[in-house]
Amino acid sequence: MATKFSKETYLYWYELMQLIRTFELTAEEKYKMEGKIRGFFHAYVGQEAIAAGCMTATKPEDIFITAYRDHGLAIAKGVSVDSCMAELYGKATGCAKGKGGSMHFFGKEQHFYGGHGIVGAQIGTGTGLAFAENYKGTDNVVLCFFGDGAARQGILHESFNLAMLWKLPVIYICENNNYAMGTSVERTSNIHDIYKLGAAYEMPSEVVDGMNPETVHDAVAKAVKRAREKGGPTLLEIKTYRYKGHSISDPQKYRTKDEVDEYKSKDPINLLRKNILDTKLATEPQIKEIDTRCDEVVAASVIFAEESPFPSDDEVLKDVYMDQNYPFIVD
């Protein structure tokens, strides 16, 4: 690998990816070994290069919206690690006040709009967010992330049609990690190359290597430029792989250990670290310093989460409806 970006960019990518990985592995330990975290939990381990590449190809005001595998993208957008860990713990200091959990991270100030538990729901919402930005006359772009399983949802086609008709500033990003829950793309779709779905709407589409932040950055930057210039949406099928199961309770009987090991040999963090060291952008002690910093941030988030209070009982009916006078049925 040659260096086509600045030293600061490579080190930013590495630290962000390592922070996400450390967060996920630590949270998994708190779930499995200590029982501190409960409910649904979908890890982003293996997919970190997508979050990193998307961040450097966008500006802070650009909107991200995704599905339930949302921890990594929330952290990338700047939702605090403390509030993310607290949300997993169900604490009041969480990014969704402890009421959303793993699948519903949220950060309004960071322009991160979820975290959605219904498969494909965010595709319609993301398209609506793009309509809003277009209506307001901003040059902001929406990055709408979904998995390969959501590509079979009807809302995708409705959204694609309207987004192209109205030339909305939205980048549809399919994070194709090969499995919709435990079912491969080949078993659920006649179209194995998801990017080809865009052709039905004459939407510019391409497939991208998602194990490398460089290739992700390049593809997203091109799509973002088109959207800002009123050229409309793009579909990117970003090929990636999750090392963990679909969720924390997944026994993963649908794939072999050899398959997982093969992808781990292409681990995006390890490859990026090697490139940084080979090109002398940083030394081993400097890399270790970054690793330690990530460890400390995540360790502090655990303390923050464990010391935070649970939501009070009077929070149960708040944040459900915009109209505060809506007549709740409570008995």
Side-chain angles (χ1 to χ4, degrees):
M1 293 173 64
T3 55
K4 57 181 289 187
F5 296 92
S6 68
K7 170 183 174 179
E8 290 73 22
T9 297
Y10 284 102
L11 294 180
Y12 166 79
W13 282 341
Y14 180 79
E15 184 158 356
L16 174 58
M17 292 162 66
Q18 186 71 336
L19 179 62
I20 294 170
R21 178 74 58 92
T22 304
F23 178 91
E24 296 286 50
L25 294 178
T26 301
E28 181 184 30
E29 178 185 324
K30 297 303 174 184
Y31 191 113
K32 287 184 173 180
M33 305 298 291
E34 300 184 29
K36 298 287 183 65
I37 296 170
R38 302 178 185 181
F40 293 101
F41 183 101
H42 303 83
Y44 205 64
V45 178
Q47 302 184 202
E48 298 92 348
I50 299 177
C54 286
M55 282 303 297
T56 50
T58 54
K59 63 180 184 178
E61 295 78 14
D62 291 329
I63 293 168
F64 284 23
I65 184 170
T66 188
Y68 41 75
R69 199 176 308 280
D70 58 354
H71 310 161
L73 289 168
I75 290 171
K77 271 300 266 182
V79 180
S80 78
V81 177
D82 282 356
S83 70
C84 287
M85 188 64 77
E87 189 61 37
L88 292 180
Y89 272 68
K91 297 300 186 72
T93 53
C95 57
K97 300 183 181 180
K99 298 188 283 187
S102 170
M103 297 193 292
H104 301 102
F105 281 17
F106 195 86
K108 182 180 178 181
E109 292 181 1
Q110 296 81 15
H111 305 285
F112 180 77
Y113 289 92
H116 292 263
I118 298 175
V119 176
Q122 76 280 10
I123 300 175
T125 306
T127 304
L129 288 167
F131 179 88
E133 293 304 315
N134 189 56
Y135 182 83
K136 291 185 291 185
T138 75
D139 70 343
N140 299 334
V141 172
V142 176
L143 270 61
C144 179
F145 300 83
F146 57 95
D148 43 280
R152 258 75 75 195
Q153 296 292 329
I155 196 168
L156 176 140
H157 299 278
E158 297 177 50
S159 299
F160 279 16
N161 183 58
L162 289 176
M164 282 300 295
L165 183 66
W166 294 333
K167 296 295 182 287
L168 299 181
V170 54
I171 318 303
Y172 296 106
I173 296 177
C174 176
E175 295 181 285
N176 185 357
N177 59 25
N178 293 357
Y179 296 100
M181 295 184 72
T183 308
S184 67
V185 173
E186 289 75 15
R187 291 181 58 200
T188 59
S189 175
N190 187 53
I191 301 295
H192 297 171
D193 298 312
I194 292 171
Y195 77 95
K196 292 180 180 178
L197 293 174
Y201 306 93
E202 297 186 357
M203 183 184 298
S205 310
E206 63 179 285
V207 63
V208 183
D209 175 12
M211 306 302 271
N212 182 346
E214 291 183 338
T215 52
V216 173
H217 173 101
D218 287 343
V220 173
K222 182 169 69 173
V224 164
K225 183 175 185 293
R226 179 188 297 121
R228 290 206 209 283
E229 295 174 352
K230 311 302 180 186
T234 300
L235 170 61
L236 300 177
E237 178 188 359
I238 303 186
K239 297 271 194 177
T240 185
Y241 197 80
R242 53 171 167 80
Y243 299 156
K244 301 293 181 176
H246 168 70
S247 69
I248 209 157
S249 58
D250 180 6
Q252 306 183 60
K253 294 181 178 179
Y254 47 84
R255 61 184 183 180
T256 65
K257 182 178 182 299
D258 288 342
E259 177 184 310
V260 178
D261 288 343
E262 179 186 350
Y263 276 96
K264 284 185 176 179
S265 70
K266 309 169 188 174
D267 184 88
I269 296 178
N270 289 343
L271 291 178
L272 182 59
R273 181 192 293 115
K274 184 178 185 302
N275 183 42
I276 289 171
L277 292 172
D278 288 350
T279 54
K280 296 182 171 33
L281 293 176
T283 63
E284 283 278 9
Q286 289 170 324
I287 290 292
K288 181 61 179 175
E289 183 179 332
I290 293 173
D291 295 344
T292 300
R293 188 157 60 240
C294 293
D295 290 342
E296 290 172 348
V297 168
V298 174
S301 76
V302 171
I303 296 172
F304 176 81
E306 293 185 350
E307 293 181 349
S308 293
F310 286 103
S312 60
D313 291 346
D314 64 2
E315 280 287 322
V316 69
L317 295 180
K318 293 180 181 178
D319 307 311
V320 179
Y321 293 104
M322 187 69 178
D323 184 356
Q324 297 300 315
N325 296 316
Y326 191 88
F328 287 103
I329 299 174
V330 296
D331 53 12

